[in-house]
């Protein structure tokens, strides 16, 4: 493909909110419930705690236990002797509580109390139960932004916001639902939902250190490692049509003033990764927007939707120049870390453009699954040292009366697996620039943020969207009034707005005016 000017992403699709931007996509894995393995136990324990007995069972079976301390007194001492007894019967005997039940999830066994109270629907028209919570680091209490929140045994999911906060709407036909929370570098956590849900949950995540023996890298050359990852793309990613539901939001700020905020629920017809010609199609299910744009801003904020270009951030389908086979001619690579994600070991490879190349390219990190070499995630940005050389990169149109200096353009892409195949999951974008009118000394800072979350996925189902209903490049999310009401979205899961954004939205409600392209 040769050297390309600037960082290259296939096609013409760098998103545009007058400024080009990227949008964000996420989706969630389907977890399957398994009965407890038919393992036979032989234990002779005298005057040991329940915790110690469970640790002995872990040593014999390789299964770890997860449970809430409020339902089991782990410090209680017991006399426990069994010979060739099935695991489930052994747990029943040890815990002696008929209301407890167990689920096997990968190499973990979750002990939980069965619900005896039916879930309460949000309203007469929304047949979902409502759950709110916050994801934090267990030791420091620091919020964990953009954690993956998935409902076990379903394809439903969402993400936490920048403050670690999330909300989730659960179907009523699951008697004992369980949430799975995942975050890169942390041990995944399974959380049984107990009805009635009376308060917001605080979910403390524990960092998972990689054992020293696992740090031995079997590839000494990160270039060869990434080249093999690229070669394995056909076997690692979905090769069938899929139907997705997504939640999308974008905001534009001038200095600290939020000028535009818009949200939408989308249907996405996702084509197989093996199809290099066909495009993904998107339609809008429901949308709302609020704006407060003064006359001096209108020259800059003629908004064009970023929805139509969000799918271009699927880096596996639309390869940037750091994910094509000749990437080594433009980039230097190095191993920067090894960490865990769920039960997977992950290589972290850093990349930056070679010093002898003066075109605007990218820098960032790629996260590779150690076993499959699938790209699990990527954090990347345009080289900040060269970004100012390309002020027109993000513009739909440019006025000679305005001087624009790009400051930052950062992106994140995330992938998840279903049926041992990966698909695009989470995508985020932030673009910031200084804007100054000619003959003026003071610049304004404009920041555009885009997020999108795929909140449901049906693999092997082909969604056909009529051409008239497909999102076009010039559609504007300004056709419906803004209603700040959680029930506005019905059964759909959404991304919780941050406190600062929430305050800005409320201010906008008092002084809003819609703008049209």
């Amino acid at each position: 493909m040769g050297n390309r000017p600037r960082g290259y992403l296939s096609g013409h699709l760098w998103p545009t909110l007058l400024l080009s931007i990227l949008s964000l996509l996420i989706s969630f894995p389907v977890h399957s419930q398994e009965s407890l393995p038919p393992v036979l136990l032989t234990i002779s324990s005298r005057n040991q705690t329940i915790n110690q007995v469970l640790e002995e069972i872990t040593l014999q079976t390789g299964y770890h236990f997860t449970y809430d301390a409020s339902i089991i007194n782990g410090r209680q001492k017991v006399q426990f002797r069994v010979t060739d007894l099935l695991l489930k019967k052994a747990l029943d005997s040890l815990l002696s509580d008929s209301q407890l039940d167990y689920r096997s999830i990968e190499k973990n066994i979750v002990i939980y109390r069965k619900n005896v109270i039916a879930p309460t629907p949000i309203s007469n028209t929304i047949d979902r139960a409502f759950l709110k919570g916050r994801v934090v680091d267990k030791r420091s209490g620091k919020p964990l932004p953009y954690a993956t929140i998935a409902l076990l045994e379903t394809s439903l999911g969402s993400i936490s916001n920048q403050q670690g906060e999330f909300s989730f709407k659960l179907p009523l036909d699951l008697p004992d639902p369980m949430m799975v929370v995942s975050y890169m570098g942390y041990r995944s956590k399974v959380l049984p939902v107990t009805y009635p849900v009376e308060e917001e949950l605080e979910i403390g995540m524990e960092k998972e250190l990689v054992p020293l023996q696992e740090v031995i890298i079997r590839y000494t050359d990160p270039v060869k490692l990434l080249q093999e990852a690229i070669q394995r793309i056909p076997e690692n990613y979905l090769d069938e049509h899929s139907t997705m539901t997504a939640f999308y939001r974008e905001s534009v700020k001038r200095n600290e003033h939020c000028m535009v905020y818009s949200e939408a629920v989308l249907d996405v017809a996702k084509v197989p990764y093996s199809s290099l010609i066909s495009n993904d199609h998107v339609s809008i299910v429901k949308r709302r927007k609020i704006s407060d744009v003064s006359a001096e801003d209108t020259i800059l904020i003629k908004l064009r939707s970023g929805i139509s270009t969000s799918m271009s951030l699927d880096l596996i389908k639309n390869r940037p120049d750091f994910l094509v086979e000749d990437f080594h001619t433009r980039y230097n690579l190095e191993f920067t870390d090894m960490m865990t994600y769920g039960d997977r070991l992950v290589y972290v490879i850093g990349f930056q453009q070679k010093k002898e190349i003066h075109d605007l390219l990218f820098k960032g990190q790629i996260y590779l699954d150690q076993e499959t070499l699938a790209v699990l995630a990527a954090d990347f940005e345009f080289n900040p040292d060269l970004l100012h050389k390309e002020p027109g990169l993000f513009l739909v149109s440019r006025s000679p009366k305005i001087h624009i200096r790009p400051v930052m353009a950062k992106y994140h892409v995330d992938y998840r697996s279903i049926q041992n195949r990966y698909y695009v999951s989470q995508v985020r974008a932030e673009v910031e620039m200084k804007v100054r009118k000619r003959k003026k000394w003071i610049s304004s800072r404009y920041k555009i943020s885009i997020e999108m979350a795929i909140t449901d996925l049906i693999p092997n189902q082909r969604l056909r969207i009529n051409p008239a209903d497909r999102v076009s490049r010039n559609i504007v999310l300004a056709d419906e009034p803004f209603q700040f009401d959680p029930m506005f979205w019905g059964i759909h899961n959404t991304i919780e707005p941050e406190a600062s954004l929430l305050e800005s939205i409320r201010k906008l409600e008092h002084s809003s005016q819609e703008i049209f392209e």
Side-chain angles (χ1 to χ4, degrees):
M1 295 186 179
N3 288 338
R4 306 176 180 89
R6 309 190 191 98
Y8 171 79
L9 185 63
S10 171
H12 58 282
L13 293 179
W14 282 103
T16 54
L17 286 194
L18 148 88
L19 331 166
S20 280
I21 314 186
L22 302 154
S23 53
L24 129 269
L25 269 166
I26 133 177
S27 184
F28 309 87
V30 177
H31 299 267
S32 60
Q33 174 185 355
E34 299 177 4
S35 58
L36 292 190
V39 179
L40 298 177
L41 296 177
T42 298
I43 296 177
S44 179
S45 172
R46 301 179 59 183
N47 203 33
Q48 286 188 314
T49 66
I50 289 179
N51 283 341
Q52 289 173 322
V53 176
L54 292 175
E55 289 174 1
E56 174 61 29
I57 296 176
T58 295
L59 289 175
Q60 290 193 28
T61 65
Y63 283 83
H64 297 271
F65 291 91
T66 299
Y67 59 88
D68 191 325
S70 66
I71 65 172
I72 297 176
N73 181 6
R75 297 181 179 180
Q76 177 185 344
K77 291 190 175 182
V78 294
Q79 309 294 327
F80 188 69
R81 296 181 182 179
V82 298
T83 302
D84 291 337
L85 189 65
L86 283 171
L87 174 58
K88 185 181 186 309
K89 292 185 176 180
L91 290 174
D92 288 342
S93 175
L94 172 66
L95 301 175
S96 302
D97 188 336
S98 61
Q99 292 301 310
L100 295 182
D101 208 346
Y102 326 101
R103 288 192 194 178
S104 172
I105 305 168
E106 295 173 346
K107 296 299 291 184
N108 295 280
I109 295 175
V110 181
I111 305 174
Y112 64 97
R113 190 176 298 283
K114 291 180 284 188
N115 279 310
V116 295
I117 299 176
T120 303
I122 297 173
S123 69
N124 293 332
T125 58
I126 304 177
D127 59 341
R128 293 288 191 272
F130 191 66
L131 177 71
K132 290 196 71 172
R134 187 167 175 260
V135 185
V136 300
D137 180 285
K138 187 174 183 179
R139 294 188 63 182
S140 68
K142 181 180 178 181
L144 297 179
Y146 308 114
T148 297
I149 319 295
L151 179 58
L152 189 68
E153 300 165 2
T154 77
S155 57
L156 300 178
S158 187
I159 60 174
S160 63
N161 64 14
Q162 291 184 14
Q163 296 169 316
E165 300 165 338
F166 71 92
S167 63
F168 206 98
K169 296 170 183 174
L170 300 97
L172 301 182
D173 57 353
L174 299 177
D176 297 297
M178 292 193 178
M179 311 303 297
V180 181
V181 184
S182 304
Y183 199 82
M184 189 72 75
Y186 286 73
R187 184 177 300 140
S188 292
K189 190 160 188 175
V190 179
L191 180 74
V193 178
T194 302
Y195 295 125
V197 181
E198 298 178 346
E199 58 184 21
E200 294 188 15
L201 304 173
E202 181 161 295
I203 303 173
M205 304 287 285
E206 297 181 70
K207 285 188 176 180
E208 186 163 23
L209 300 178
V210 179
L212 184 60
Q213 63 268 24
E214 299 289 353
V215 179
I216 301 174
I217 307 294
R218 58 189 176 99
Y219 293 90
T220 57
D221 185 353
V223 171
K224 292 182 179 179
L225 186 66
L226 186 55
Q227 285 175 332
E228 184 170 346
I230 294 171
Q231 292 170 0
R232 290 196 191 183
I233 284 176
E235 64 190 71
N236 277 331
Y237 295 85
L238 281 178
D239 58 355
E240 59 192 23
H241 289 271
S242 302
T243 296
M244 297 177 175
T245 303
F247 178 73
Y248 170 91
R249 73 181 185 185
E250 63 187 37
S251 64
V252 181
K253 287 186 176 182
R254 179 176 182 266
N255 298 327
E256 295 303 316
H257 172 60
C258 184
M259 299 189 304
V260 181
Y261 180 80
S262 57
E263 301 175 329
V265 170
L266 312 173
D267 280 337
V268 180
K270 182 71 177 170
V271 301
Y273 281 90
S274 57
S275 175
L276 300 179
I277 300 176
S278 301
N279 294 321
D280 303 320
H281 294 141
V282 180
S283 66
I284 297 175
V285 177
K286 199 170 187 179
R287 59 190 176 185
R288 62 184 181 180
K289 174 179 175 177
I290 190 169
S291 59
D292 181 16
V293 181
S294 64
E296 64 177 317
D297 293 322
T298 55
I299 194 169
L300 181 68
I301 307 300
K302 288 282 187 178
L303 287 183
R304 180 180 294 172
S305 170
I307 293 176
S308 62
T309 55
S310 62
M311 301 306 291
S312 68
L313 277 187
D314 185 346
L315 301 183
I316 300 302
K317 184 172 178 59
N318 306 290
R319 310 275 183 86
D321 63 352
F322 55 82
L323 276 182
V324 294
E325 292 186 355
D326 64 344
F327 65 85
H328 58 280
T329 63
R330 293 175 292 277
Y331 291 96
N332 292 319
L333 273 64
E334 63 176 347
F335 285 111
T336 59
D337 202 355
M338 175 172 269
M339 59 178 59
T340 61
Y341 185 58
D343 63 338
R344 315 289 291 184
L345 283 172
V346 177
Y347 293 127
V348 185
I349 297 178
F351 63 92
Q352 58 183 351
Q353 70 182 81
K354 294 177 180 287
K355 292 182 178 180
E356 61 270 24
I357 295 180
H358 303 292
D359 292 325
L360 175 61
L361 301 182
F362 297 105
K363 60 180 290 189
Q365 292 182 318
I366 298 174
Y367 302 81
L368 299 180
D369 180 270
Q370 185 193 44
E371 181 179 348
T372 66
L373 293 185
V375 176
L376 301 182
D379 289 297
F380 59 104
E381 63 179 305
F382 279 108
N383 188 338
D385 296 330
L386 301 176
L387 188 58
H388 65 279
K389 294 183 177 181
E390 299 288 349
L393 185 61
F394 302 100
L395 297 179
V396 172
S397 60
R398 180 172 183 172
S399 167
K401 299 179 180 180
I402 292 179
H403 174 74
I404 295 179
R405 179 184 175 91
V407 176
M408 173 266 288
K410 294 183 178 181
Y411 312 101
H412 173 83
V413 179
D414 201 291
Y415 291 83
R416 295 291 182 272
S417 67
I418 183 171
Q419 300 171 358
N420 297 318
R421 294 274 186 159
Y422 287 86
Y423 60 94
V424 68
S425 173
Q426 181 181 160
V427 182
R428 301 189 299 273
E430 289 187 348
V431 173
E432 186 173 329
M433 56 190 61
K434 290 182 178 181
V435 178
R436 177 175 57 84
K437 290 187 176 181
R438 295 195 183 279
K439 300 182 180 180
K440 298 287 185 180
W441 291 98
I442 300 176
S443 299
S444 296
R445 277 184 175 259
Y446 285 82
K447 183 176 181 180
I448 303 172
S449 301
I450 296 182
E451 301 172 310
M452 189 181 289
I454 293 177
T455 54
D456 200 1
L457 166 70
I458 306 176
N460 201 25
Q461 175 177 293
R462 186 168 188 174
L463 175 66
R464 297 186 183 276
I465 300 176
N466 293 328
D469 297 327
R470 295 172 187 171
V471 170
S472 63
R473 298 194 68 204
N474 58 359
I475 192 169
V476 179
L477 296 184
D479 301 330
E480 299 188 17
F482 193 92
Q483 299 174 331
F484 193 73
D485 178 1
M487 291 192 289
F488 176 83
W489 298 113
I491 65 172
H492 297 290
N493 283 309
T494 63
I495 307 171
E496 283 289 293
E498 290 79 21
S500 59
L501 186 56
L502 190 60
E503 181 63 26
S504 297
I505 294 170
R506 286 172 176 160
K507 290 179 180 179
L508 281 176
E509 287 183 296
H510 297 290
S511 58
S512 63
Q513 53 180 318
E514 299 294 347
I515 60 169
F516 297 86
E517 191 172 33

